[in-house]
Amino acid sequence: MTPVGNRDIRAAREYHDRTAHSYQSVRQSGHVLDWDTKPFLYKVYPDLPVTLLPREFPQPPQDTLEAMATFEGKGATLTLETLASLLFFTAGLTKKKTHPGGGEMHFRAAPSTGALYQTEVYVVAGELPALSAGVYHFSPGDFCLRRLRAGDFRGELGVAAVDERIPTAAATLVLTAIYWRNTWKYQARAYRHLFWDSGTMLANLLATAAGLGIPARLVTFFVDERINRLLALDAEKEVSLELVPLGTSAAPPPAADVSTEPITPRTIPLSSSEVEYPLVRYMHAVSSLVESDELRTVRPSHPGEPRSIPEHLVSLPGPLARAGRSLGETILGRGSTRQFSGQPISAEALSTVLFHATRGIPADFLPAPGRRLVDLYLIVNAVETIPSGAYCYWPEAHGVEMLASGDFRRQAGYLCLEQALGADAGVGIFFLAALGPILERLGNRGYRLANLEAGIIGGRCYLGAYAQGFGASGLTYYDGDVVRFFSPHARGKDALFVTVLGRSVKGVPGIEVPLQIAKP
Ligand SMILES: Cc1cc2nc3c(=O)[nH]c(=O)nc-3n(C[C@H](O)[C@H](O)[C@H](O)COP(=O)(O)O)c2cc1C
């Protein structure tokens, strides 16, 4: 594999095709899990100074749906308490479950493939009340920050992202991923998961920020190596994925020319040995931006033409504006549904999820509100008053285009990698994208971003479902078969992610087994 640049888009295509699941590939994979090397779920810096986060912090009180649909923070001040809340509802340890035979499972605020939680969160802060300026790592296990660098590095972030507003934000969260935590189970396909899983966390983070009135937006174009260096990451193993500037700083922006001398803080190894997946590193390298000029050209500068909407869309019932459950309650009560009952959800409930999940993302890769990279296809198994069948959802018109009518439960289960969750759900939402034009526009970086957008919308689907009292799960799938199923409509597109919604057999969403809500 010869290293190539962001503009050589054969690389993303090659990665995508080589990591596609098919009926044959899963049977031929031969991969078995080595439980002796299962990576530890927490990154531990034993030698760094610790700042405990306050355990009394505000819960986002706003109704879940309202928080999901709010994009302008009201200008509330970022304090250590609101920072603690944002970190907890994005990446916090929210539940512990003890297995009957012993052993404990830890669950986090957002769903994550295989509960492997490879996404780490760092804070690059200016001077805040009760927190001195610095670069910190968030440790969800003991709910504290550990300081990697002292001083104000917001200017450096602004330079790395060619973004003048970043230095004026009170702090910026940086989401990173440790490859091995996910490749241990999912091998090279894990690279896709980095964006699905950071996407579900960003769904929580953006809604929590809105709920607390703190301005937040998503920055995805930056010179990768500069951010990795700032965070002192071993970039062969852990890489920066996204930035989220938060709040507005009361103090003047810092100087941009602070030095980021290399530092090598000690960390505890995740497991006794690790397996390398060169394809993952390759995909990251070819979608990295190496200089500011490249970044300026790749960032979308004009909104583009709106799509023409087909005639004969079936209108959905009006979405609810409120679900009656606060965002904090929804996130704490959430847990991926492990078995659906097959019972229907209402058309209004589906309409509400689809509407609120697709109102837009305040992100630099989307040139205008209402633009998106991914398309939502549905297999309706059991939704009251909506005939079972295959559909394409048009967010602009909040209507669905029927592609085929009929009972496709069996096919839905098959497409979701033969998992019963796909067949028993009320509805499956399949995220597809026309990768060709996306890569033409954004280079290989577009591959990251299309997967990320699917993860964010999927994460919002979870929130919308749990807010209304039913369940959800992310699912993986057979790539080519999904596209064939929705073709000819989906011809030329690629399948990126699946989220299924429906009624849990346990009735109460999220509380499927007695769980102890973890006190941070
Ligand atoms: C992107 C994504 C893909 C997932 N894929 C599957 C899947 O294929 N099968 C499954 O049973 N669960 C799947 N899940 C659910 C995870 O296993 C679940 O989020 C994880 O175990 C943590 O549990 P929690 O969501 O209840 O907190 C997926 C979740 C996400 C976010």
Side-chain angles (χ1 to χ4, degrees):
M1 286 174 289
T2 337
V4 293
N6 185 50
R7 281 290 165 197
D8 190 344
I9 58 176
R10 289 170 304 178
R13 169 52 57 196
E14 181 192 354
Y15 169 81
H16 187 74
D17 293 343
R18 284 179 62 179
T19 57
H21 276 331
S22 70
Y23 183 83
Q24 287 77 18
S25 74
V26 295
R27 282 165 177 76
Q28 288 162 1
S29 128
H31 180 57
V32 280
L33 294 181
D34 177 1
W35 290 98
D36 290 341
T37 60
K38 182 173 191 278
F40 189 54
L41 296 182
Y42 298 97
K43 183 172 189 184
V44 181
Y45 290 97
D47 309 323
L48 297 183
V50 175
T51 302
L52 296 177
L53 286 163
R55 284 158 194 269
E56 298 295 320
F57 52 77
Q59 279 206 14
Q62 212 179 0
D63 187 89
T64 310
L65 300 178
E66 285 178 352
M68 283 165 68
T70 307
F71 301 116
E72 294 296 321
K74 292 189 205 87
T77 308
L78 189 70
T79 61
L80 198 58
E81 283 71 27
T82 47
L83 180 62
S85 177
L86 289 161
L87 291 167
F88 180 74
F89 287 102
T90 302
L93 165 61
T94 48
K95 289 173 208 159
K96 292 180 182 171
K97 178 178 147 189
T98 308
H99 291 301
E104 206 175 50
M105 285 276 292
H106 288 191
F107 293 90
R108 308 274 182 97
S112 186
T113 44
L116 294 168
Y117 306 113
Q118 70 282 354
T119 318
E120 298 285 330
V121 183
Y122 297 78
V123 184
V124 180
E127 207 63 32
L128 291 179
L131 187 71
S132 55
V135 178
Y136 297 86
H137 172 255
F138 169 58
S139 175
D142 48 3
F143 205 59
C144 64
L145 297 173
R146 286 193 170 74
R147 198 180 69 213
L148 284 151
R149 294 181 190 271
D152 194 337
F153 290 87
R154 293 173 298 156
E156 169 60 15
L157 272 189
V159 173
V162 194
D163 186 323
E164 287 167 7
R165 290 189 292 153
I166 286 183
T168 66
T172 291
L173 300 193
V174 186
L175 276 60
T176 72
I178 300 180
Y179 298 145
W180 171 236
R181 284 231 190 91
N182 205 270
T183 54
W184 170 76
K185 180 169 183 188
Y186 297 105
Q187 301 178 282
R189 192 172 163 97
Y191 194 74
R192 305 181 186 207
H193 298 184
L194 310 189
F195 299 92
W196 303 350
D197 293 336
S198 56
T200 64
M201 291 170 67
L202 288 168
N204 282 17
L205 173 57
L206 294 171
T208 304
L212 296 172
I214 294 169
R217 65 195 168 93
L218 175 56
V219 176
T220 62
F221 297 116
F222 48 83
V223 175
D224 295 70
E225 196 270 330
R226 267 188 106 130
I227 308 278
N228 293 340
R229 182 161 23 107
L230 177 65
L231 303 182
L233 304 182
D234 173 354
E236 299 283 283
K237 297 182 173 198
E238 180 180 1
V239 289
S240 307
L241 304 178
E242 298 103 18
L243 316 179
V244 180
L246 295 168
T248 316
S249 186
D257 58 352
V258 243
S259 116
T260 48
E261 290 297 315
I263 50 168
T264 50
R266 192 165 67 92
T267 57
I268 305 290
L270 298 183
S271 52
S272 55
S273 64
E274 299 186 11
V275 179
E276 288 182 9
Y277 288 90
L279 190 55
V280 169
R281 281 192 198 155
Y282 174 75
M283 187 55 222
H284 194 73
V286 298
S287 56
S288 290
L289 301 173
V290 290
E291 51 184 57
S292 315
D293 284 348
E294 191 182 10
L295 200 151
R296 287 191 189 90
T297 56
V298 78
R299 197 180 261 159
S301 52
H302 56 85
E305 293 303 312
R307 302 190 295 175
S308 50
I309 297 169
E311 293 170 14
H312 313 303
L313 287 190
V314 181
S315 311
L316 292 170
L320 296 174
R322 296 173 54 82
R325 189 175 284 191
S326 78
L327 180 65
E329 285 175 280
T330 298
I331 293 177
L332 286 174
R334 189 207 61 75
S336 298
T337 301
R338 299 294 82 197
Q339 197 181 353
F340 290 111
S341 68
Q343 294 303 305
I345 59 171
S346 71
E348 186 185 60
L350 173 62
S351 157
T352 300
V353 171
L354 291 174
F355 182 85
H356 290 280
T358 55
R359 285 316 97 190
I361 302 167
D364 59 355
F365 67 89
L366 296 172
R371 295 285 187 277
R372 67 192 61 74
L373 303 178
V374 299
D375 299 323
L376 281 65
Y377 287 78
L378 313 178
I379 297 184
V380 171
N381 293 328
V383 180
E384 286 161 7
T385 73
I386 300 185
S388 296
Y391 296 85
C392 180
Y393 172 62
W394 288 78
E396 308 86 320
H398 191 49
V400 288
E401 180 183 359
M402 184 181 246
L403 308 180
S405 68
D407 180 347
F408 295 118
R409 272 190 193 277
R410 199 173 50 80
Q411 289 89 333
Y414 170 79
L415 293 175
C416 297
L417 217 75
E418 302 170 64
Q419 299 183 82
L421 286 165
D424 298 338
V427 59
I429 303 171
F430 293 75
F431 297 91
L432 280 78
L435 272 185
I438 292 171
L439 299 177
E440 287 293 336
R441 281 204 311 279
L442 301 170
N444 293 317
R445 192 77 158 200
Y447 187 71
R448 297 190 194 180
L449 301 176
N451 279 284
L452 176 66
E453 189 188 272
I456 295 173
I457 300 178
R460 286 181 175 165
C461 289
Y462 262 95
L463 295 177
Y466 282 91
Q468 295 183 82
F470 55 95
S473 183
L475 287 184
T476 199
Y477 53 88
Y478 285 137
D479 290 73
D481 291 327
V482 168
V483 178
R484 276 186 285 282
F485 178 82
F486 290 108
S487 288
H489 196 282
R491 192 170 290 142
K493 296 184 185 176
D494 287 280
L496 295 184
F497 181 41
V498 182
T499 309
V500 289
L501 313 176
R503 300 218 168 273
S504 161
V505 286
K506 306 276 177 169
V508 186
I511 319 291
E512 308 203 329
V513 282
L515 292 175
Q516 175 200 346
I517 303 284
K519 280 256 176 279

